[in-house]
Amino acid sequence: MGYSHPPSDGATTGQHAPRLLDMVRARICRRGLAIRTEDAYVSWIRRFILANEKRHPNEMGEREVEWFLTRLAVQGKVAASTQNQALSALLFLYREVLGQDLPWMDNIRRAKRPERLPVVLTVEEVSRLLVQMSGVHHLMASLLYGSGIRLMECVRLRVQDIDFVRSEILVRRGKGGKDRRTMLPARTVPALQLHLTQTRVLHERDLAVGHGAVWLPGALARKYPAADREWIWQYVFPSRLRSIDPRSGVERRHHVDEKNLQRAVRIAAQAAGIAKHATCHTLRHSFATHLLESGSDIRTIQELLGHSDVSTTMIYTHVLNRGGSGVVSPLDR
């Protein structure tokens, strides 16, 4: 069965595409969505329009969307999560930008993501991995494992999110837009305090040359117009260089690029001789599993991880060193 192009029942109206994409970007900004979401949605919508001979989305519907997603799966062989992101972009286009909420939108099913068990390191493997790291990457990786925070939650931490008195980290606008609190590992405190001292010097240098502003969400920026230069709002892990904000055109110091930490963890795992696919998210999986192994309550772990449903957290019970489902193999009796 071929998927070269969908059935065409409308005229080509490519001249609408540039204006339409500007409308998409404007709507995403009004909704306060991340720049990453903006780039991803615009990219998928552009691909959808080009794949359908530059026809305007108003002229298309369920048939073209289904065809596009099918082609991604059959020809592109993309993962289920990628298909779902493309679908989310198209639903955003029709509902939020074009103002259409039609029955066919509810008929399109999302691709089912395969259920896979998480990769988990032993305590000894985590130690070997961290030994191979140094500087800010060692500190960030230690927080991923010691606090259970996600990669992007780590790089987006602000100074005021670190509470040394209560030994807590406040994760703001985590997955699902939710705030939560998690532990601040005592072993990271000396290095983190030294790092913040050095970061403050960098911030004061920026202020001295007329910079020092940091990006703030739209509502906060309007409510506190001078807050973007205050120390408490600065990123804990700022970028080495200032850059131009793609939306406002203002030169600011953003947070570090998460790809650098991902690369550092991968290299450290190889150097440590760990025969597992160890990533930054593996450290979060290991955090949850090791807490369960030490007897921590699963509901508490659910709150620390920020899971909406405890069933998501239950996946970590598979590695409690009791064999499959907690039973003993008959060969070992």
Side-chain angles (χ1 to χ4, degrees):
M1 181 176 183
Y3 295 95
S4 57
H5 58 81
S8 176
D9 53 9
T12 299
T13 53
Q15 65 269 23
H16 293 280
R19 186 169 60 184
L20 176 66
L21 296 183
D22 289 341
M23 291 169 58
V24 172
R25 292 186 183 277
R27 183 59 181 168
I28 289 175
C29 288
R30 287 198 299 271
R31 285 284 306 276
L33 302 180
I35 186 68
R36 294 167 185 270
T37 303
E38 176 183 323
D39 291 341
Y41 279 19
V42 168
S43 176
W44 282 120
I45 293 169
R46 180 184 289 112
R47 288 178 62 176
F48 175 65
I49 293 172
L50 293 176
N52 286 279
E53 301 175 351
K54 298 184 180 180
R55 293 161 58 205
H56 194 280
N58 274 330
E59 302 172 2
M60 298 184 281
E62 180 179 7
R63 178 173 53 176
E64 287 80 8
V65 172
E66 285 279 14
W67 168 84
F68 180 68
L69 297 176
T70 300
R71 195 176 76 157
L72 286 178
V74 175
Q75 292 186 354
K77 294 181 172 57
V78 301
S81 58
T82 303
Q83 296 176 52
N84 290 334
Q85 185 188 63
L87 175 57
S88 295
L90 297 180
L91 292 180
F92 182 89
L93 168 66
Y94 279 99
R95 286 174 171 159
E96 299 289 337
V97 180
L98 301 179
Q100 298 184 24
D101 196 359
L102 304 176
W104 64 262
M105 295 182 185
D106 297 324
N107 297 331
I108 297 180
R109 296 184 179 181
R110 293 184 177 272
K112 186 176 181 181
R113 301 180 64 175
E115 295 183 5
R116 294 191 176 94
L117 295 177
V119 176
V120 175
L121 304 180
T122 65
V123 174
E124 186 268 340
E125 286 173 332
V126 172
S127 298
R128 281 163 45 198
L129 183 146
L130 293 177
V131 164
Q132 298 295 328
M133 305 180 74
S134 61
V136 69
H137 289 153
H138 178 275
L139 176 57
M140 296 176 74
S142 297
L143 288 176
L144 296 183
Y145 172 65
S147 303
I149 56 180
R150 299 178 177 89
L151 171 62
M152 293 310 300
E153 292 172 346
C154 181
V155 300
R156 290 170 177 164
L157 284 174
R158 311 272 182 158
V159 172
Q160 63 178 337
D161 298 337
I162 308 296
D163 190 334
F164 290 107
V165 176
R166 300 184 62 181
S167 297
E168 288 182 343
I169 294 177
L170 175 58
V171 178
R172 301 178 188 271
R173 300 177 183 85
K175 191 172 183 179
K178 298 177 296 184
D179 292 356
R180 74 178 190 279
R181 295 185 184 275
T182 186
M183 61 190 72
L184 173 63
R187 290 179 60 177
T188 66
V189 169
L192 188 53
Q193 289 177 329
L194 176 60
H195 171 76
L196 286 175
T197 299
Q198 297 169 342
T199 300
R200 186 155 196 171
V201 171
L202 180 64
H203 175 56
E204 290 173 350
R205 288 176 180 170
D206 282 345
L207 289 174
V209 294
H211 293 287
V214 70
W215 176 85
L216 293 178
L220 283 173
R222 290 190 298 270
K223 188 174 182 180
Y224 307 108
D228 59 354
R229 284 179 167 77
E230 294 179 9
W231 165 240
I232 62 172
W233 288 104
Q234 303 305 305
Y235 288 113
V236 173
F237 300 107
S239 173
R240 186 172 57 88
L241 302 173
R242 294 191 298 269
S243 58
I244 302 298
D245 188 312
R247 283 179 173 170
S248 66
V250 176
E251 182 177 344
R252 296 190 178 107
R253 190 177 296 277
H254 201 48
H255 58 63
V256 294
D257 188 341
E258 72 279 3
K259 294 184 181 64
N260 293 331
L261 179 58
Q262 291 173 318
R263 188 181 306 110
V265 168
R266 183 173 62 252
I267 293 173
Q270 294 172 350
I274 298 174
K276 297 176 182 177
H277 181 59
T279 65
C280 291
H281 210 64
T282 302
L283 295 174
R284 174 175 160 89
H285 292 323
S286 304
F287 162 85
T289 303
H290 296 166
L291 284 182
L292 277 173
E293 288 177 335
S294 63
S296 296
D297 177 75
I298 196 165
R299 291 285 184 180
T300 301
I301 299 173
Q302 175 193 356
E303 294 179 3
L304 293 173
L305 292 174
H307 289 161
S308 299
D309 194 323
V310 72
S311 62
T312 307
T313 317
M314 289 292 291
I315 195 172
Y316 297 110
T317 60
H318 78 290
V319 285
L320 293 184
N321 294 329
R322 294 198 301 264
S325 303
V327 300
V328 178
S329 168
L331 184 63
D332 296 329
R333 291 177 179 171

